[in-house]
Amino acid sequence: MHFLDQAKIYIKSGWGGPGAVSFRREKYVEYGGPDGGNGGKGGDIIFEAVAGLNTLIDFRYTQHFKAQRGMPGMGKNRYGAGGNDLIVKVPLGTQILSDPQPIEGTEDEDGYPEYEEQEILADFTEVGQRVSFLRGGDGGRGNLSYKTSTNRAPRQHGTGWPGQEMWVWLRLKLLADVGLVGMPNAGKSTLINQVTNTKAKVGAYAFTTTKPQLGVVLHRDREFVLADIPGLIAGAAEGAGIGDRFLGHIERCRVLLHLIDATGDDPVEAFRIVTDELAAYGGGLDEKPQIVVLNKGDLLGQELMEDIAEQLREQAGVEDVFIISGATGEGVTPLLDTVLEILDEERIEEKADDESDGEATWSPI
Ligand SMILES: Nc1nc2c(ncn2[C@@H]2O[C@H](COP(=O)(O)OP(=O)(O)OP(=O)(O)O)[C@@H](O)[C@H]2O)c(=O)[nH]1
Ligand SMILES: [Mg+2]
């Protein structure tokens, strides 16, 4: 199984800035009183859910996130500026989980301890949702605030409070409801552009799409999320082309839309290649409901399209074949109706499963 959808990161809020030690200097006043201002507060660590991010892959490369320190206080009772908060942007659907630690004294005969239970610390379900996660340390007090009736010239000052730090797990729960699969050039990006307001790149060459893209389909007052991934070629599951890196992204889709270029040399073979790759990849991809769609109907006549659909039924055992043109939008409405129906069936099944097994067991360790 590939887990492209989890990452462990280190976060730390900023130290508070130190308070200043300073004395007033004025003409004719020999010993001015203390006037050191407080240090600024350290920056917070804030998580924000944003649209347009589809994976946690960036967190594989950047794992440490530290907010800025607060600035030192200054004379004339000027306060140090607060450190900037660090806003960590995560894809919609991300959960933040604790990093369970071994519990002391629980080692079994082989020396393996029990671990704390993993807790969900935040769950991002709406774009723009923000969670202030770690608060920056407060700034230290300047010497002015140490002045008392008995100590009129204190040299004490606070050094600033440390920030908080921790390791957390990020887990991306659900990427999309429906995943588009097919060979390069099948017209996947053209279709996502037709049915969502996404602007995926379209090109008359293979591997135009190089990373997954999500779009929201609005159909009959309902919404679902569609994912476009790079085209799959024979051997993709073992790493040929670039499709394999992205098969993991459709593991969580409920339904697959399998697009076939009707103008290709051998549409039945194209169907088989992709189906074989889904099976070879594993992860349950070949068990997902698959809607088979013959695309580019505008280039061939209805009769020819029907012939190819018939071949798919006879030679590849496909039950239903949808005929569409992603470019003109023809045939897309009945296709989306079917997608909604299957999604509803899947949701009902998942709900029943959830109720019987509770939360799926998942462990970062
Ligand atoms: N006439 C016609 N051309 C289409 C249709 N759908 C896609 N095309 C063309 O087919 C070519 C490939 O389309 P894309 O949408 O980029 O295909 P893709 O499946 O996303 O390709 P990759 O990203 O390489 O996997 C482009 O030149 C499109 O203009 C269609 O329904 N009719
Ligand atoms: Mg594409």
Side-chain angles (χ1 to χ4, degrees):
M1 284 282 259
H2 296 217
F3 282 110
L4 288 169
D5 50 359
Q6 66 183 47
K8 188 179 175 182
I9 62 168
Y10 170 82
I11 49 178
K12 184 167 196 252
S13 54
W15 272 77
V21 178
S22 164
F23 296 92
R24 264 200 322 267
R25 284 171 202 278
E26 284 170 42
K27 260 186 189 173
Y28 317 118
V29 182
E30 211 165 323
Y31 297 106
D35 71 349
N38 297 347
K41 185 182 137 307
D44 297 343
I45 293 282
I46 298 173
F47 284 94
E48 182 182 339
V50 295
L53 278 181
N54 309 324
T55 76
L56 295 173
I57 199 105
D58 293 342
F59 293 98
R60 292 282 164 95
Y61 306 109
T62 310
Q63 288 169 334
H64 290 76
F65 295 86
K66 293 182 187 167
Q68 213 180 24
R69 278 172 168 260
M71 294 293 143
M74 289 162 291
K76 298 190 183 150
N77 195 23
R78 285 169 301 168
Y79 281 27
N84 289 333
D85 295 336
L86 181 63
I87 297 170
V88 183
K89 296 196 165 120
V90 294
L92 192 63
T94 301
Q95 288 184 326
I96 302 181
L97 300 112
S98 61
D99 180 32
Q101 296 301 307
I103 304 170
E104 258 180 69
T106 57
E107 289 80 7
D108 60 16
E109 306 95 80
D110 303 321
Y112 292 112
E114 275 178 38
Y115 278 79
E116 296 162 356
E117 208 158 302
Q118 191 171 40
E119 282 176 74
I120 297 177
L121 307 173
D123 197 349
F124 293 89
T125 53
E126 277 169 47
V127 169
Q129 188 183 340
R130 276 189 173 203
V131 175
S132 276
F133 212 77
L134 297 182
R135 191 176 181 280
D138 284 325
R141 286 155 57 190
N143 66 339
L144 171 62
S145 70
Y146 287 92
K147 182 176 155 190
T148 61
S149 54
T150 50
N151 186 355
R152 298 175 143 257
R155 302 201 66 85
Q156 282 137 289
H157 70 118
T159 49
W161 297 92
Q164 301 165 303
E165 59 186 328
M166 69 192 291
W167 284 90
V168 288
W169 283 89
L170 302 182
R171 173 163 46 139
L172 186 54
K173 241 187 145 181
L174 188 75
L175 288 155
D177 302 300
V178 182
L180 273 171
V181 292
M183 306 239 336
N185 259 323
K188 299 177 293 298
S189 302
T190 306
L191 180 62
I192 200 174
N193 287 348
Q194 174 71 245
V195 297
T196 72
N197 55 10
T198 307
K199 294 199 171 45
K201 193 170 160 200
V202 168
Y205 49 90
F207 302 124
T208 308
T209 302
T210 53
K211 58 180 191 209
Q213 181 133 19
L214 300 193
V216 178
V217 180
L218 277 173
H219 185 65
R220 302 206 191 278
D221 288 332
R222 300 268 307 275
E223 276 188 6
F224 62 87
V225 179
L226 182 64
D228 177 21
I229 66 161
L232 302 174
I233 57 172
E238 277 81 48
I242 51 173
D244 70 303
R245 279 196 276 147
F246 300 104
L247 280 167
H249 291 289
I250 51 172
E251 267 180 38
R252 288 169 191 272
C253 291
R254 297 185 165 106
V255 179
L256 300 181
L257 270 190
H258 183 161
L259 225 57
I260 303 164
D261 181 353
T263 67
D265 291 344
D266 189 347
V268 174
E269 181 61 13
F271 170 81
R272 286 205 183 107
I273 289 173
V274 171
T275 308
D276 287 351
E277 289 315 313
L278 296 177
Y281 179 81
L285 291 189
D286 58 335
E287 283 149 33
K288 288 186 189 293
Q290 207 185 104
I291 304 176
V292 178
V293 183
L294 204 49
N295 189 30
K296 308 198 187 179
D298 54 299
L299 294 179
L300 305 180
Q302 183 67 19
E303 221 172 294
L304 209 46
M305 292 296 279
E306 290 290 355
D307 279 353
I308 302 171
E310 189 55 30
Q311 286 171 23
L312 278 166
R313 283 189 281 262
E314 277 181 5
Q315 297 172 26
V318 181
E319 267 178 45
D320 292 312
V321 180
F322 283 82
I323 295 174
I324 68 158
S325 163
T328 67
E330 213 179 322
V332 167
T333 302
L335 172 64
L336 296 183
D337 286 343
T338 303
V339 171
L340 282 182
E341 263 170 44
I342 298 184
L343 278 178
D344 284 342
E345 286 164 17
E346 288 299 301
R347 281 188 185 126
I348 293 166
E349 263 180 42
E350 277 169 33
K351 200 158 169 254
D353 284 354
D354 271 4
E355 276 161 15
S356 56
D357 2 307
E359 174 74 359
T361 47
W362 175 88
S363 165
I365 305 157

